Amino acid sequence: NAGVTQTPKFRILKIGQSMTLQCTQDMNHNYMYWYRQDPGMGLKLIYYSVGAGITDKGEVPNGYNVSRSTTEDFPLRLELAAPSQTSVYFCASSPKTSGGAPGELFFGEGSRLTVL
Amino acid sequence: KQEVTQIPAALSVPEGENLVLNCSFTDSAIYNLQWFRQDPGKGLTSLLLIQSSQREQTSGRLNASLDKSSGRSTLYIAASQPGDSATYLCAVLNAGGTSYGKLTFGQGTILTVHP
């Protein structure tokens, strides 16, 4: 019962470096999301996907990129890391309901990123 | 733009008390509302999901209600235990406007239940 799996759990980057946060779900969910959580700021949506091959921007997409080549995987790429990207990143997935809207959301354990 | 507010921001109660957490949202065009629990350093765990057509959902000691027309939801926790200590977040799935199909989260209520 893996659910949503994120790697790595922790990472320290230098300013200007790039990296990819991996996210995999084994529940055959259509919808996948990337959020960042900053202290006192709640969760902000970075990017989301309604299915393989389809992605769209959320509230705070600048400095990030995503791809969705398969149903299972939804990696988040950080290009030219900046201190403002220091945060905890959560990947989530949800099934498509009979009405077409997303259903219950399932979260990964998070990836804590520090940019120095 | 949808805004979700949770009150109180923090709550400390003795073990055994019944308590209520509040969530309000500004746009009633929603598909559903979810309550989550987050333990320190962990991800979010879904507690209850209420569809927009429903009035309440129950799971064990938890009961969540939804009044879509007034933009309010409450999470009732009965007979609280120290293990209930966590941050509780609510989120609405938007059915209209520029946030269509996306979840908007509140900032959470930090609950501490002391023995």
Side-chain angles (χ1 to χ4, degrees):
Chain A
N1 55 348
V4 180
T5 303
Q6 292 182 234
T7 57
K9 288 187 173 12
F10 303 93
R11 182 73 185 269
I12 298 174
L13 283 180
K14 294 182 179 178
I15 294 172
Q17 287 185 320
S18 300
M19 74 160 298
T20 299
L21 299 178
Q22 302 291 344
C23 176
T24 299
Q25 53 94 7
D26 62 359
M27 298 172 282
N28 201 34
H29 285 170
N30 293 87
Y31 292 91
M32 294 189 76
Y33 309 83
W34 275 106
Y35 290 91
R36 60 177 287 172
Q37 186 178 38
D38 301 301
M41 299 295 290
L43 277 87
K44 301 292 185 185
L45 181 64
I46 305 171
Y47 270 95
Y48 68 103
S49 169
V50 301
I54 306 169
T55 62
D56 206 350
K57 297 177 180 178
E59 300 174 76
V60 289
N62 292 342
Y64 308 94
N65 275 300
V66 294
S67 60
R68 183 98 182 268
S69 57
T70 67
T71 298
E72 295 79 16
D73 300 308
F74 191 41
L76 177 72
R77 177 105 180 134
L78 281 73
E79 305 282 2
L80 299 174
S84 62
Q85 293 178 304
T86 294
S87 188
V88 181
Y89 292 84
F90 289 102
C91 180
S93 72
S94 64
K96 188 176 183 180
T97 64
S98 58
E104 185 179 5
L105 213 64
F106 295 84
F107 278 82
E109 290 284 300
S111 298
R112 186 176 296 274
L113 176 67
T114 302
V115 182
L116 300 173
Chain B
K1 180 186 173 185
Q2 179 75 272
E3 293 183 3
V4 179
T5 303
Q6 291 187 243
I7 295 173
L11 182 63
S12 180
V13 300
E15 181 177 6
E17 272 204 8
N18 302 324
L19 56 98
V20 174
L21 307 181
N22 297 290
C23 173
S24 62
F25 47 96
T26 55
D27 187 347
S28 61
I30 65 170
Y31 282 116
N32 60 51
L33 182 144
Q34 270 189 264
W35 281 94
F36 295 90
R37 169 187 173 135
Q38 185 177 27
D39 293 293
K42 299 290 187 180
L44 282 70
T45 301
S46 178
L47 297 173
L48 290 164
L49 182 149
I50 311 176
Q51 300 292 351
S52 62
S53 59
Q54 297 175 321
R55 297 285 292 182
E56 66 177 346
Q57 281 285 347
T58 299
S59 176
R61 293 182 295 107
L62 306 179
N63 176 277
S65 68
L66 173 65
D67 184 342
K68 197 173 76 161
S69 60
S70 67
R72 294 180 182 176
S73 176
T74 61
L75 179 67
Y76 175 83
I77 302 177
S80 59
Q81 303 170 358
D84 294 330
S85 298
T87 298
Y88 291 80
L89 297 102
C90 71
V92 296
L93 178 61
N94 299 296
T98 57
S99 299
Y100 174 79
K102 303 170 190 172
L103 268 81
T104 302
F105 282 84
Q107 296 197 358
T109 293
I110 301 171
L111 174 65
T112 303
V113 182
H114 48 88

